[in-house]
Amino acid sequence: MLIAHLSDTHVRTGPLAAEPAANLHQALGRILSMRPRPDCVVITGDLCEYEYTGVYADLRALIERFPLPIHLTTGNHDSPADLIDTFKGTAFLGATASTTYSVDYPGATIIALDSNRPDSPAGFLGAEQLAWLDDTLAQRPGVPAFVCLHHPPIALGIPFLDGMRLEDGPALGEVVARHPHVARILAGHVHRVIVAPFAGTIVSTAPSTYRQSGLRLHDAEPPGYLAEPTGYLLHQLLDGNVVTHSVVASHAGAVLAGF
Ligand SMILES: [Fe+2]
């Protein structure tokens, strides 16, 4: 089982639309060139910037040509209602009309959570969604589960971004700790590759396919966003373990497949 983990695509409309769309296309082209090909792709939120009108249609036009399954989660920049309106019933939302869903693969369960809250850039899941997660994890206890959401549930050392992390991270941790088959928490939001232990498992944040955040560890000022190399994570189930590779997509020598 191979899972390609992308994040923070920040696709937009208007005169600045080209760069994030081209960067996402490049990352997907890099994925498609791999052998073996990943079983699926997960994009952990901030799919778009803030302009919702038409942006999800543009995103769909780009990613529905891609031949591997892609599963989407919301971020703080997203609109869950508009996302559902564009992608309901498709594999992008696990064939549901919800931004909270699961997809059963023979080797893994992909679980998407919606941490978007309309009034804040911070994240929140709430009791109802956590109860659904608890029930969903209980249904396939022998299969590794990947819990995907935008906001990291713990502080990661960049104070500005830690100030807008998942607010009910401890409650998520209580659920996850009851299910030792949770192989990873896959998150985004911080636009950097960061790894940390959490509730008996590991949190992995993917880089942005658009721009990376500065490594500003010392105060709560915005970290700034840099044109560092873009890329994604590749999570591989191997001998009962999960190994995570970091893949750079934007360097000039990257092998790209067209789609
Ligand atoms: Fe973002």
Side-chain angles (χ1 to χ4, degrees):
M1 183 81 194
L2 280 174
I3 301 167
H5 173 196
L6 282 62
S7 202
D8 293 87
T9 52
H10 286 268
V11 170
R12 58 198 307 173
T13 58
L16 298 177
E19 184 185 354
N23 287 6
L24 171 58
H25 186 254
Q26 186 179 45
L28 291 173
R30 181 83 175 91
I31 289 168
L32 204 55
S33 75
M34 306 188 90
R35 295 294 182 274
R37 286 177 170 170
D39 296 277
C40 69
V41 176
V42 171
I43 308 180
T44 49
D46 279 3
L47 307 168
C48 76
E49 196 65 21
Y50 281 122
E51 323 91 333
Y52 306 131
T53 305
V55 73
Y56 290 122
D58 287 351
L59 175 65
R60 181 168 176 167
L62 197 166
I63 62 178
E64 72 182 353
R65 299 163 21 168
F66 189 70
L68 308 179
I70 298 177
H71 308 303
L72 306 174
T73 80
T74 56
N76 51 294
H77 280 251
D78 290 301
S79 161
D82 288 299
L83 188 70
I84 290 169
D85 196 42
T86 301
F87 289 102
K88 60 181 179 293
T90 70
F92 297 110
L93 294 179
T96 72
S98 173
T99 47
T100 301
Y101 60 88
S102 66
V103 181
D104 292 350
Y105 287 88
T109 307
I110 304 296
I111 298 175
L113 301 178
D114 184 346
S115 58
N116 173 280
R117 47 176 295 180
D119 56 344
S120 168
F124 188 74
L125 294 172
E128 184 179 341
Q129 195 170 199
L130 288 170
W132 176 88
L133 174 64
D134 205 11
D135 288 345
T136 302
L137 285 169
Q139 289 170 20
R140 299 185 90 199
V143 180
F146 291 80
V147 177
C148 311
L149 77 167
H150 182 66
H151 294 81
I154 52 174
L156 296 175
I158 300 176
F160 178 80
L161 295 169
D162 288 344
M164 54 175 86
R165 66 179 182 265
L166 189 74
E167 292 181 344
D168 50 355
L172 173 63
E174 288 178 19
V175 173
V176 169
R178 289 198 284 273
H179 300 279
H181 62 295
V182 175
R184 281 283 195 285
I185 308 292
L186 307 186
H189 193 47
V190 293
H191 292 228
R192 298 196 68 80
V193 178
I194 304 176
V195 179
F198 173 72
T201 184
I202 293 170
V203 179
S204 296
T205 65
S208 170
T209 60
Y210 180 40
R211 289 182 181 157
Q212 314 316 310
S213 64
L215 189 55
R216 192 178 180 103
L217 300 174
H218 53 84
D219 61 33
E221 290 296 309
Y225 290 86
L226 315 170
E228 288 182 356
T230 71
Y232 56 91
L233 301 179
L234 189 73
H235 306 287
Q236 181 180 26
L237 276 165
L238 194 66
D239 299 332
N241 197 6
V242 181
V243 176
T244 296
H245 303 266
S246 179
V247 185
V248 175
S250 59
H251 63 94
V255 178
L256 303 173
F259 68 95

